[in-house]
Amino acid sequence: MNHQGLLARRTRHMGVNAIREILKVVSQPGMISLAGGIPSPESFPMPQIERLCQTVIRKYGCAAFQYDLTEGFAPLRRALAQYLQKKEVAATEAQVLVASGSQSILDALGKVLITRGDRIAVEDPTYLGALQAFTPYEPVYVCLDSDQDGLVPQSLEAALSSQPIKFIYLVPTFQNPTGRTLSLERRRQIAAIVRRHGALLVEDDPYSDLRYSGRPLPPVKSLAPDQVVYVSTLSKVFAPGLRIGFCVAPELIHRWLVVVKQGNDLHTSTFDQALAAEYLTSGELARHVPTIIALYRPRQQAMLGALERYFPKSFSWSRPEGGMFIWAKGPEGMDMEAVYWKAVAQKTAFVPGKFFFARQGAGIETLRLNFTMADESGIEAAVRTLAGVVRAAV
Ligand SMILES: Cc1ncc(COP(=O)(O)O)c(C=O)c1O
């Protein structure tokens, strides 16, 4: 039977994840990968998880294994409301919605907000997973300019002044893929712009706890509470396999996200939520984040040092104060996918940056380097190998 004709029209826009296709080779033995977008398993608090599992079973018993509210497990929503207060996001327990990873919130936002042809404003480059979540709902992307300090406010102002924009999607802190952070001044300007235009902004914030230097910055949500859906996750500070994401949205959007979630998965795993609740309320999260930072900070320094030592002067790269990625740019027109295949032949992988652009053909000379998965000596070796490949290509 030919199943092609059975597929819904929206599948035409979904496509295969091109990154996944080219990264298939990364798991070959001996490969040093700077391609990953995932936390190091060494960052998972395994002994604490073992203890917390027992606490959850003792404390909640069968309730930890029962169906629960769509909005989320009450003790976790309470704990998240407190956690968010420290980030200057004012939210009551009732305003917090827990989801199965923040990725599922991006999809639910697409379902609730995007009608075919609606314009969605995105940074260029942006988080590929967000494009994957929104694209099946058939939006038209409006690409905003960004530089070292993140989204350029004038670009947002121009976009909002010239056309109706359904929402703006932004990763303001240690962005994936660039590692860039929106400056305080720009946060204020962007908050003022969205307030003035009555626009909706989706602020995706998975990385702000992974800060290795500098001072924390207030989320845009704290500067324009009614205009912002704040989305975050415990994936980078606990364990991504538990799939605990959460958001705080304006009331009407919150209600619709709940309706979508009912149809999607009824609720997020009760046991995982109970575990997360205990992780937060016992103070383990606050104690463990510095351990993760102590693991990643030297890796990032090793990468920055190696780039400085080995890469040609015709390259530039970001120097983020946190997160998981460094973004590099080669000479205009240099094709990083060609470099990728040569580097892979020498057992070193990264992600060509072009995959993160909504605009076709943009960013071919860019690359994303992850520094969480390899240790310092692996990073040093991988950057040296990569530098050899790019030197041969320039
Ligand atoms: C910017 C951004 N948003 C969302 C996610 C999804 O995270 P999760 O679904 O694990 O919460 C990621 C994961 O890498 C990300 O980088």
Side-chain angles (χ1 to χ4, degrees), residues 55-82:
T55 309
V56 164
I57 291 170
R58 258 202 323 273
K59 189 163 167 184
Y60 301 106
C62 292
F65 300 91
Q66 183 54 287
Y67 283 119
D68 199 60
L69 286 182
T70 300
E71 288 85 343
F73 188 59
L76 177 59
R77 295 172 81 197
R78 228 174 356 260
L80 285 171
Q82 279 186 4

Side-chain angles (χ1 to χ4, degrees), residues 157-345:
E157 176 68 53
L160 289 173
S161 303
S162 59
Q163 62 210 303
I165 301 273
K166 209 37 158 336
F167 64 85
I168 306 128
Y169 171 76
L170 198 59
V171 185
T173 308
F174 312 139
Q175 195 228 29
N176 181 0
T178 62
R180 288 174 191 155
T181 290
L182 191 66
S183 67
L184 179 59
E185 180 57 24
R186 286 195 180 176
R187 282 170 198 246
R188 292 194 177 121
Q189 289 171 352
I190 285 164
I193 292 170
V194 292
R195 274 204 309 268
R196 186 154 19 87
H197 285 272
L200 182 71
L201 188 145
V202 174
E203 175 174 29
D204 189 3
D205 184 29
Y207 298 109
S208 60
D209 280 348
L210 299 182
R211 176 171 277 284
Y212 315 132
S213 61
R215 300 235 315 264
L217 293 167
V220 182
K221 174 77 174 170
S222 68
L223 305 169
D226 290 344
Q227 317 298 142
V228 177
V229 179
Y230 179 83
V231 182
S232 188
T233 178
L234 297 184
S235 286
K236 320 296 174 184
V237 289
F238 192 13
L242 293 170
R243 312 305 299 129
I244 303 290
F246 51 94
C247 73
V248 179
E251 198 196 335
L252 179 71
I253 295 172
H254 172 100
R255 268 193 274 134
W256 277 102
L257 291 174
V258 174
V259 173
V260 166
K261 188 168 171 58
Q262 268 162 359
N264 177 36
D265 65 357
L266 297 180
H267 67 80
T268 296
S269 156
T270 317
F271 182 81
D272 292 358
Q273 291 189 76
L275 207 57
E278 293 306 306
Y279 184 58
L280 267 71
T281 53
S282 63
E284 290 291 1
L285 175 123
R287 280 191 290 280
H288 187 62
V289 168
T291 314
I292 305 177
I293 290 172
L295 179 70
Y296 291 161
R297 185 193 279 130
R299 293 183 176 187
Q300 192 208 34
Q301 283 166 351
M303 182 168 277
L304 287 171
L307 284 166
E308 202 66 60
R309 269 191 300 284
Y310 303 122
F311 258 54
K313 296 288 166 255
S314 51
F315 274 70
S316 58
W317 51 87
S318 60
R319 291 170 178 77
E321 295 185 333
M324 301 192 350
F325 306 107
I326 289 174
W327 182 250
K329 188 167 187 279
E332 211 65 40
M334 184 171 177
D335 180 5
M336 286 302 161
E337 190 172 345
V339 169
Y340 172 83
W341 290 112
K342 289 186 184 128
V344 161

Side-chain angles (χ1 to χ4, degrees), residues 34-70:
L34 309 178
I38 60 177
S40 166
E42 297 155 85
S43 75
F44 304 161
M46 294 311 290
Q48 294 91 318
I49 289 176
E50 200 173 338
R51 276 201 309 278
L52 292 173
C53 282
Q54 286 165 12
T55 309
V56 164
I57 291 170
R58 258 202 323 273
K59 189 163 167 184
Y60 301 106
C62 292
F65 300 91
Q66 183 54 287
Y67 283 119
D68 199 60
L69 286 182
T70 300

Side-chain angles (χ1 to χ4, degrees), residues 321-392:
E321 295 185 333
M324 301 192 350
F325 306 107
I326 289 174
W327 182 250
K329 188 167 187 279
E332 211 65 40
M334 184 171 177
D335 180 5
M336 286 302 161
E337 190 172 345
V339 169
Y340 172 83
W341 290 112
K342 289 186 184 128
V344 161
Q346 297 189 39
K347 300 283 184 210
T348 300
F350 64 92
V351 185
K354 67 177 178 187
F355 294 111
F356 303 99
F357 287 80
R359 264 176 312 136
Q360 287 295 317
I364 65 160
E365 60 284 317
T366 59
L367 59 158
R368 189 190 75 176
L369 302 170
N370 163 273
F371 54 79
T372 58
M373 286 300 280
D375 63 15
E376 287 90 315
S377 62
I379 287 171
E380 166 87 13
V383 173
R384 197 173 49 220
T385 304
L386 193 52
V389 178
V390 297
R391 278 183 190 283

Side-chain angles (χ1 to χ4, degrees), residues 119-178:
R119 290 188 171 79
I120 309 301
V122 294
E123 294 164 282
D124 208 23
T126 190
Y127 170 52
L128 183 71
L131 298 179
Q132 269 191 298
F134 302 147
T135 298
Y137 303 104
E138 303 180 59
V140 173
Y141 292 110
V142 174
C143 296
L144 304 173
D145 298 334
S146 51
D147 61 19
Q148 302 316 314
D149 286 334
L151 175 66
V152 177
Q154 291 77 0
S155 165
L156 178 61
E157 176 68 53
L160 289 173
S161 303
S162 59
Q163 62 210 303
I165 301 273
K166 209 37 158 336
F167 64 85
I168 306 128
Y169 171 76
L170 198 59
V171 185
T173 308
F174 312 139
Q175 195 228 29
N176 181 0
T178 62

